[in-house]
Amino acid sequence: MIKTLQLALSACLLSIATVPFGDGPQVHGQDAPLFTAKPDEVASPPKSARTKMPVVKVLRSDPVSCESNGKSMSASLIEVTFAPLAFSPPHRHPGEVAGYVLEGTLEFKIEGKTQQVLRAGDTFFEPAMILHEVARNPDPEKRCRISVTMIHPRDAQQLTIPERELTNSGEVDDRGAIAKAAAPSVPPQSPPETCTINLGDSSNRSEFDESLPTIGVLLFDSVLMTEVTAPIDVFSKPDEQGSRQFNVVTVAKSYQPIAMESGLRVLPDYSFEDCPELDVLVVSSSYDMETIVASREIIEFVRTKGEDTKFTMSNCAGAHLIGASGLANGRKIVTYIGGGELLQTHYPELRVQDDSRVSFVIDGKMVSSNGNLASYISALELLETMTGKGHREFVESQLYLERLKNYER
C-alpha cells in the first residue's frame, strides 16, 4: 500500500546520469547536445514546452533497514510519464535514484556532465542532491515513461526540490553539497504548471471493494459534465441501510487532469493501463466528437472493456464511440436529439432509433440515452435492472426528482 508521505512530490522529475548498473551492461545513452549550454549555464526548454509537465505517480513507499547520516531511510517506487515535449525545470532529489526507461526518449543533463539521450531499455543512477539541469521528452508525438526507485530519508518533506527553493534559502544538506554561492544561475521563467498524482489520494481506489460491481465512467478532454456526473450521482448512492452498492470510478488515458466542457477539472481514478474489471462502462460525449473518435486508444479501450462488461451505456454523441468500436452492431441505440441521421450514416450497422421521441433505449447489454439530463434516465433504468425497483425509488427520493418534475415558483 502507498503511504501518505505528504512529500509534495513536484513533477519536476528525474533527469539522470548514466553509469554502469551493478555488474550489468553499461547504459547506452548517446551524447546529444540538443540544448547547447555553456558549462556554468542551465539550458532552458523551448517556450512551446514550458506548460507541459510530467505526471508523477508514487506507486509505493516502504521503510528500509538502513540509516544514512543517522537518519532512517525509505525506498519509494515512482513512475514518471512525460507527455510529448514535456519537461522538468532544474531540481534536486534528497536521495539516490536508480531507474529504467520503459518507453520513449528522455533528454537529460546533470551538473558537470554532457547532455545525453536515454531510450527505452536504458538504466540510470544518480547521486543524492545532484542538480538536474535538463529533463525533457523531445518527441512531439510519443510519450516517455520511466520507472524509478529512490532511497531517501524517511522524514523527507519533498522528493523533488526545485532549484529556486534552494538558491533562495541557501540551505546546506548533510554533505555540504548545496551552498547558495555555488548554485548555478537559473534563467527566470514563469512558474510552470505541475501535475503530481499520488494514487493513495483517490478514495475510490483506496475504498475499492472487489465484492461489489464496478461502474467505470470514461473521461476525455471536453467531455460533457452532466453525462459524467449523472451516472456517478445515481450509482454512488447507498441503500436505505447506508450500504454502498457499487464501486464507481473514473477512467482516462492517463492521470492528467481532464477539463470538462464546463471548465471543471477532474483527476481520473484509473488510467487505461490499470483500469479494473468493469461491470458497466459509461461512454459520454463531447462537442468535438470527431477528435475523440479519431483516437485509436480510446476506441480500443471502449471495444476491449465493452466486450467484457455486463452493460455498456452511451449518452448523447457517445453513441459515435460505440459505433466506431463495433460493440452495438445490430442493436438498437439512440443519440442526442437531432443526431440520429448522422449516426446512422456513419455506422449503418447500428439500429438507430428516432431521437425526436425516444429518450432511452436498452437492447441486451447496450444502454443509451439522448444525454444531458436524460443521462439520469439511462442511469436510473440501468440501476433498476441491476438492483430492483425498490432501490431505484429510494435513489430517486434522495435525488429529489419529484421536486424537479413538480415544482412551484
Side-chain angles (χ1 to χ4, degrees), residues 348-369:
E349 300 87 356
L350 300 177
R351 297 171 60 191
V352 180
Q353 303 300 292
D354 182 0
D355 50 73
S356 67
R357 61 182 185 85
V358 176
S359 299
F360 159 81
V361 173
I362 183 166
D363 185 356
K365 64 179 287 182
M366 187 65 227
V367 184
S368 56
S369 80

Side-chain angles (χ1 to χ4, degrees), residues 108-167:
F108 75 91
K109 182 182 185 303
I110 63 168
E111 191 173 14
K113 299 291 183 178
T114 303
Q115 182 165 309
Q116 294 182 305
V117 172
L118 288 177
R119 295 184 172 85
D122 288 345
T123 57
F124 48 78
F125 173 82
E126 60 165 305
M129 298 308 294
I130 196 166
L131 176 64
H132 295 250
E133 297 176 351
V134 176
R136 186 174 82 103
N137 175 9
D139 197 308
E141 297 181 354
K142 299 179 180 179
R143 70 178 182 178
C144 171
R145 193 162 59 97
I146 62 178
S147 177
V148 166
T149 297
M150 184 187 302
I151 307 296
H152 58 84
R154 199 173 301 172
D155 61 356
Q157 296 302 302
Q158 292 178 290
L159 292 190
T160 299
I161 307 169
E163 180 63 7
R164 280 174 296 182
E165 289 187 12
L166 292 169
T167 55

Side-chain angles (χ1 to χ4, degrees), residues 89-391:
H91 59 276
R92 302 176 191 258
H93 301 293
E96 287 81 4
V97 171
Y100 181 79
V101 180
L102 299 168
E103 62 178 290
T105 303
L106 180 69
E107 297 176 355
F108 75 91
K109 182 182 185 303
I110 63 168
E111 191 173 14
K113 299 291 183 178
T114 303
Q115 182 165 309
Q116 294 182 305
V117 172
L118 288 177
R119 295 184 172 85
D122 288 345
T123 57
F124 48 78
F125 173 82
E126 60 165 305
M129 298 308 294
I130 196 166
L131 176 64
H132 295 250
E133 297 176 351
V134 176
R136 186 174 82 103
N137 175 9
D139 197 308
E141 297 181 354
K142 299 179 180 179
R143 70 178 182 178
C144 171
R145 193 162 59 97
I146 62 178
S147 177
V148 166
T149 297
M150 184 187 302
I151 307 296
H152 58 84
R154 199 173 301 172
D155 61 356
Q157 296 302 302
Q158 292 178 290
L159 292 190
T160 299
I161 307 169
E163 180 63 7
R164 280 174 296 182
E165 289 187 12
L166 292 169
T167 55
N168 289 339
S169 67
E171 292 179 359
V172 180
D173 76 340
D174 292 333
R175 301 169 183 79
I178 303 174
K180 184 173 181 179
S185 59
V186 179
Q189 48 184 281
S190 301
E193 294 181 359
T194 300
C195 178
T196 303
I197 309 300
N198 187 330
L199 300 187
D201 293 338
S202 169
S203 60
N204 289 334
R205 290 184 69 112
S206 61
E207 298 174 8
F208 191 90
D209 185 343
E210 293 184 357
S211 69
L212 297 177
T214 300
I215 314 297
V217 181
L218 176 63
L219 302 179
F220 42 77
D221 289 338
S222 298
V223 65
L224 301 188
M225 183 178 71
T226 306
E227 295 165 14
V228 170
T229 57
I232 293 175
D233 200 9
V234 168
F235 285 100
S236 63
K237 294 286 189 290
D239 65 11
E240 293 186 69
Q241 288 72 44
S243 299
R244 187 158 55 106
Q245 300 298 294
F246 298 93
N247 300 305
V248 183
V249 300
T250 53
V251 187
K253 281 201 295 186
S254 69
Y255 289 99
Q256 292 280 8
I258 299 293
M260 297 188 180
E261 142 273 342
S262 63
L264 178 68
R265 289 179 179 266
V266 178
L267 286 175
D269 299 308
Y270 293 92
S271 71
F272 287 178
E273 293 182 355
D274 65 355
C275 179
E277 293 184 7
L278 302 178
D279 294 88
V280 177
L281 172 64
V282 179
V283 180
S284 301
S285 68
S286 163
Y287 291 132
D288 184 20
M289 284 307 292
E290 288 187 10
T291 299
I292 305 304
V293 173
S295 169
R296 294 181 180 178
E297 286 179 279
I298 294 178
I299 295 296
E300 182 63 14
F301 176 80
V302 171
R303 185 186 66 78
T304 55
K305 279 297 179 183
E307 286 177 347
D308 295 332
T309 58
K310 294 178 181 177
F311 297 96
T312 298
M313 177 194 301
S314 76
N315 294 314
C316 194
H320 284 261
L321 279 173
I322 300 298
S325 70
L327 283 175
N329 288 352
R331 294 189 182 276
K332 296 177 182 178
I333 194 169
V334 70
T335 186
Y336 61 93
I337 298 174
E341 184 176 349
L342 179 64
L343 181 65
Q344 188 71 81
T345 300
H346 281 292
Y347 307 103
E349 300 87 356
L350 300 177
R351 297 171 60 191
V352 180
Q353 303 300 292
D354 182 0
D355 50 73
S356 67
R357 61 182 185 85
V358 176
S359 299
F360 159 81
V361 173
I362 183 166
D363 185 356
K365 64 179 287 182
M366 187 65 227
V367 184
S368 56
S369 80
N370 302 141
N372 209 324
L373 285 178
S375 304
Y376 274 95
I377 300 175
S378 56
L380 287 165
E381 290 285 344
L382 182 55
L383 181 73
E384 181 175 341
T385 299
M386 298 181 73
T387 63
K389 187 174 182 179
H391 182 59

Side-chain angles (χ1 to χ4, degrees), residues 30-42:
Q30 300 175 351
D31 290 346
L34 300 182
F35 297 148
T36 52
K38 296 178 181 179
D40 295 328
E41 292 181 348
V42 175

